[in-house]
Each structure stands twice: as structure tokens, then as C-alpha cells.
């Protein structure tokens, strides 16, 4: 793709109701003007009937696990069983199979509008470096169509003498090309030390850290506040994210608010993952189960960057994910009680901020990372989630899905 490529999006509707022309050049939005006012562009795409939005992003995926439901079924449906099943299945995976599935899942998300994906990649344990090698190949293959960030999701323990090998693997992963480091510290024998290790190695290489944090409805498991304190005390400045944070949603409002304020002060982004956590969590509860989501209200009130993501796509952790950010947005409305606009912000601007990517607005000078979807407004886009979408990355159309809806005549009706 050439950086000088120019494209005019004609007659597209914006979220504020205006119908405009949008000129793209060199990977950026070059002009925005009233419909019909921009002329002389070499390439023109008529988007009448479409709504133009900043493209969503997927801030938390597991592409190495994607599309394995039929091979690794999880009748129990809970997190512990999913982990056990995956550990048993993972050694049988071949390089080509991981590449094929991960590529297919990434392109599913792209077709839905996600022009950037952050995927956690299993490292250590039964996986070794196999998954990372496969995902490095996938990243290279899709690099012209979307931005793919790889988080080295390193097995525990990372603390103590027993964690030496995994600490070495975390360093090796970054040297091989991983963009960030991650782990699930609450499962480490020494969770507080595990947090320190992750931040120290990330700081050593100048990369972000993204941790699976408190993925449980057990209110006694709450390491997010410790994570925030460490980031503040160490001055870690390379980007920190906390994914899941389920147990925060189980806290009394005053505790949730206190923790949220510490997270905001530390600059940690929180990534909420409704599809997977609504399915995995609370299976041990009777009666009305907890929702399995983080404390969205308190986090937003404190000014925390909140992102929404899809997590798993058709694997033992979530048998029905489809990689569509608008599915995550809809669940943030129905289960998280966000407004449709706030929910879309979580899967677009919030997701990009959590990933350390530049802000996108449909205004001159901003990156041309855009989604055009058949819709009348943001609420309609989230509600209907039309598959009729045009996806633009770096000013180029990288995916287009067109839907044909037919109503054949019924008996007795004229054709």
C-alpha cells in the first residue's frame, strides 16, 4: 500500500447527524466537508446510507485458542475446567493449525471493523514458544490490513526460584518480537511478587504490561489495588492495562470507588470482557448469579480509561464468540448498563487508548481508521449490528461486506 493513496468517502452520515464527504490521504483524514462539496478526488466511494465511525479495536483476544470449540468442548462451562482442558489439548497443536485458526479469527474481527487487535499468546508451560512463533507469522501476514499486537501471556509461577524459567521465557518473548508482556498474577503462589516481576521486565524492555487481573467473583481476591500502587510507586511509564477485574464488581460501592480512584491515578486502563466473563463466571452461584463484570460505574466515574473487548472466539472459554466489537458493545449496554454511545466508545476510543494507539475522530488530521456501517446512528449500529460494513485501515478499504435482504412473495401475493 502506498502512503500517497487518496480516497473520497461521499455522502456518509456522521454520529452528529450531518451528511458529509470525507477525503482520505496518506493514511489520514485530509478533509471533511458538506456532502457534494469535495471534488477532484481520483478515487470515490459512495457511502450513502452508511454511518461513519472511528473504527473499533479488539483490546483483548486469544487468537492462538480461537476456533477450537468442536475439538475442545467444555460441558462444565467454567474457567477452571477451560484451563484444564486447554492444557490437555495444547500440546497436540501444530504450527500450521495455529497460524490458520489465528488468521481466520483475526480476519473475522477485521470484517467486523476492528483495524487493531491485541492478542494474548500462551508462553511457557505446555506451550513453550510454539504459539508465539505462530502468531509472529500471523502478524507479518496481516500487517497491511490491521495492526496486531502480541502480548506474551506467560505461565505462572513467575515469582521465586520456581519462576526462573518463566521469567527467562518472558524476556525471550520480547526479544523475539512480542509487543507487551502479560500473566495472571492472582494464580501465582506469590501474586504481589508476580506483579513486580511483570512490571520490572516490561520496564527493562520498554514495553507495555497487560495483566489478567482478578478474574473471579471471589470478593476476597482483589489485587488490582496492589497493581495500581506498584505502577504509581515505580513510575512505570510504558502503558499498563488490567483485563477482566471481575472481583471489583463484587465489592461494596465504597471499596470499588476507592480502588477505581487508585487505578485512575496510576493511569491503568481496565479492559472489560463481557462475552467470556458472563459465561465463565458465577456458575457456582445459585439463585440470581453475579454478572461477572467489573465495576464499570465506579471506574468511569473515577476517570479510568475503560475498554470493551471480546476475549475468546469459539474455544473452551467461550463457545460462541464471533469477534465482533459490536457484540461486546451490546453486552456492555444490556449487562453493564452503559448507554449505546458510551458502549461504542469503550470498544473504539477506549480500546485504542488501552492499546496505546492514537485517538481517532472523524476530523481533519486524525488517522484514517474508520468503520462505515448501514445504520442511522450509534444506537442503531449497536442494536442492529448490521453486517453491511466497510472497514478502512490507514486510508485503504481493507474489508467490505455487503448484505442482500430478499422477501420472496408469499402464496397469493403478486410478484
Amino acid at each position: 500500500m502506498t502512503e500517497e493513496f487518496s480516497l473520497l468517502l461521499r455522502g456518509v452520515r456522521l454520529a452528529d447527524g450531518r451528511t458529509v464527504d470525507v477525503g482520505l490521504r496518506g493514511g489520514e483524514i485530509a478533509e471533511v466537508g458538506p456532502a457534494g462539496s469535495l471534488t477532484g478526488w481520483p478515487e470515490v466511494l459512495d457511502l450513502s446510507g452508511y454511518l461513519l465511525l472511528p473504527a473499533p479495536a479488539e483490546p483483548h483476544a486469544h487468537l492462538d485458542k480461537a476456533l477450537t470449540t468442536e475439538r475442545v468442548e467444555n460441558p462444565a462451562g467454567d474457567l477452571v475446567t477451560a484451563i484444564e482442558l486447554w492444557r490437555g489439548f495444547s500440546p497436540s497443536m501444530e504450527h500450521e493449525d495455529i497460524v490458520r485458526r489465528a488468521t481466520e479469527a483475526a480476519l473475522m474481527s477485521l470484517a467486523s471493523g476492528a483495524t487493531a487487535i491485541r492478542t494474548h499468546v500462551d508462553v511457557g508451560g505446555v506451550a513453550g514458544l510454539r504459539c508465539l512463533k505462530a502468531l509472529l507469522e500471523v502478524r507479518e501476514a496481516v500487517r497491511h490490513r490491521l495492526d496486531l499486537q502480541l502480548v506474551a501471556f506467560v505461565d505462572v509461577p513467575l515469582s521465586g526460584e520456581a519462576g526462573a524459567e518463566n521469567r527467562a521465557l518472558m524476556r525471550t518473548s520480547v526479544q523475539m518480537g512480542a509487543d507487551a508482556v502479560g500473566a495472571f498474577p492472582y494464580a501465582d503462589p506469590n501474586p504481589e511478587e508476580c506483579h513486580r516481576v511483570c512490571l520490572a521486565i516490561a520496564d527493562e524492555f520498554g514495553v507495555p504490561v497487560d495483566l489478567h487481573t482478578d478474574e473471579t467473583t471471589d470478593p476476597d481476591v482483589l489485587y488490582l489495588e496492589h497493581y495500581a500502587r506498584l505502577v504509581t510507586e515505580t513510575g512505570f511509564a510504558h502503558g499498563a492495562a488490567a483485563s477482566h477485574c471481575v472481583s471489583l464488581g463484587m465489592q461494596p460501592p465504597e471499596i470499588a470507588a476507592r480502588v477505581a480512584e487508585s487505578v485512575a491515578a496510576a493511569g491503568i486502563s481496565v479492559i472489560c470482557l463481557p462475552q467470556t466473563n458472563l459465561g465463565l463466571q458465577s456458575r457456582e452461584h445459585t439463585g440470581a448469579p453475579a454478572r461477572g463484570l467489573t465495576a464499570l460505574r465506579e471506574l468511569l466515574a473515577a476517570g479510568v480509561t475503560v475498554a470493551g473487548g471480546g476475549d475468546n472466539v469459539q474455544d473452551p472459554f467461550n463457545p460462541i464468540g464471533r469477534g465482533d466489537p459490536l457484540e461486546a458493545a451490546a453486552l456492555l449496554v444490556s449487562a453493564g448498563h452503559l448507554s449505546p454511545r458510551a458502549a461504542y466508545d469503550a470498544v473504539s476510543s477506549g480500546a485504542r487508548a488501552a492499546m496505546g494507539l492514537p485517538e481517532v475522530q472523524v476530523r481533519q488530521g486524525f488517522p484514517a481508521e474508520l468503520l462505515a456501517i448501514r445504520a442511522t446512528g450509534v444506537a442503531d449500529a449497536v442494536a442492529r449490528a448490521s453486517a453491511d460494513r466497510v472497514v478502512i485501515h490507514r486510508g485503504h478499504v481493507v474489508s467490505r461486506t455487503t448484505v442482500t435482504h430478499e422477501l420472496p412473495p408469499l402464496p397469493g401475493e403478486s410478484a
Side-chain angles (χ1 to χ4, degrees):
M1 298 192 297
T2 60
E3 287 300 316
E4 294 305 313
F5 178 79
S6 298
L7 174 65
L8 179 68
L9 310 179
R10 174 175 289 164
V12 69
R13 184 182 181 91
L14 299 185
D16 63 10
R18 290 180 295 148
T19 301
V20 299
D21 292 344
V22 180
L24 314 178
R25 183 183 296 113
E28 293 186 348
I29 299 172
E31 290 185 83
V32 179
S37 67
L38 303 187
T39 59
W41 288 74
E43 298 285 340
V44 179
L45 179 60
D46 187 353
L47 289 180
S48 302
Y50 284 83
L51 176 72
L52 189 65
L53 298 169
E58 175 51 75
H60 187 115
H62 286 271
L63 297 181
D64 52 349
K65 297 179 173 69
L67 306 177
T68 57
T69 295
E70 294 182 356
R71 286 186 274 176
V72 198
E73 295 185 12
N74 180 7
D78 65 294
L79 178 59
V80 172
T81 304
I83 292 172
E84 291 174 352
L85 288 168
W86 189 256
R87 289 185 186 278
F89 172 77
S90 181
S92 69
M93 296 189 303
E94 297 182 353
H95 177 88
E96 293 76 12
D97 176 52
I98 302 170
V99 170
R100 178 189 60 78
R101 291 186 291 97
T103 302
E104 182 179 351
L107 295 180
M108 285 171 58
S109 287
L110 175 68
S112 295
T115 63
I117 300 172
R118 172 179 282 186
T119 181
H120 294 250
V121 185
D122 284 2
V123 170
V126 295
L129 292 167
R130 291 182 304 116
C131 295
L132 180 60
K133 291 176 181 176
L135 267 295
L136 287 167
E137 184 175 321
V138 174
R139 186 177 66 185
E140 176 62 22
V142 302
R143 64 187 179 90
H144 291 306
R145 293 189 177 273
L146 60 91
D147 294 321
L148 183 58
Q149 297 181 357
L150 309 182
V151 181
F153 183 42
V154 183
D155 202 3
V156 294
L158 280 160
S159 63
E161 183 178 348
E165 182 178 351
N166 284 331
R167 294 194 295 272
L169 282 172
M170 182 175 279
R171 291 185 169 90
T172 299
S173 297
V174 180
Q175 291 166 343
M176 288 174 60
D179 302 288
V181 299
F184 48 114
Y186 64 94
D188 191 280
N190 186 338
E192 296 188 359
E193 179 61 23
C194 184
H195 282 88
R196 293 188 189 95
V197 166
C198 292
L199 286 169
I201 293 177
D203 191 53
E204 179 182 336
F205 289 95
V207 298
V209 62
D210 188 340
L211 302 178
H212 284 55
T213 302
D214 302 335
E215 191 180 0
T216 174
T217 55
D218 182 352
D220 292 330
V221 177
L222 187 60
Y223 291 102
L224 178 57
E225 192 168 26
H226 171 72
Y227 182 16
R229 185 165 57 251
L230 277 180
V231 169
T232 299
E233 290 175 353
T234 61
F236 184 78
H238 308 295
S243 295
H244 299 291
C245 302
V246 174
S247 69
L248 186 65
M250 302 297 295
Q251 305 302 319
E254 61 274 13
I255 294 179
R258 185 195 73 211
V259 175
E261 289 171 2
S262 69
V263 171
I268 297 175
S269 300
V270 171
I271 302 172
C272 182
L273 304 162
Q275 285 103 318
T276 295
N277 284 142
L278 286 170
L280 287 176
Q281 304 296 326
S282 294
R283 289 179 180 264
E284 72 280 12
H285 292 268
T286 58
R291 290 174 179 244
L293 298 183
T294 192
L296 292 169
R297 182 182 295 108
E298 287 81 3
L299 289 167
L300 289 168
V304 175
T305 295
V306 172
D311 205 352
N312 299 82
V313 175
Q314 299 172 37
D315 63 24
F317 298 81
N318 180 11
I320 59 171
R322 63 176 185 260
D324 185 355
L326 290 180
E327 182 188 15
L331 287 170
L332 288 172
V333 173
S334 58
H337 296 170
L338 299 188
S339 69
R341 188 175 292 271
Y344 189 80
D345 285 345
V347 302
S348 56
S349 59
R352 288 184 63 88
M355 297 169 67
L357 296 171
E359 181 184 8
V360 175
Q361 296 182 27
V362 187
R363 294 174 52 193
Q364 182 179 1
F366 284 86
E369 303 289 323
L370 303 167
L371 169 64
I373 181 170
R374 289 277 184 187
T376 58
V378 174
D380 185 48
V382 173
R384 289 198 296 164
S386 170
D388 203 331
R389 308 182 195 190
V390 179
V391 185
I392 295 169
H393 175 53
R394 299 179 187 170
H396 296 256
V397 174
V398 290
S399 178
R400 182 163 193 174
T401 304
T402 303
V403 177
T404 300
H405 183 204
E406 296 183 1
L407 290 174
L410 298 174
E413 291 182 342
S414 58

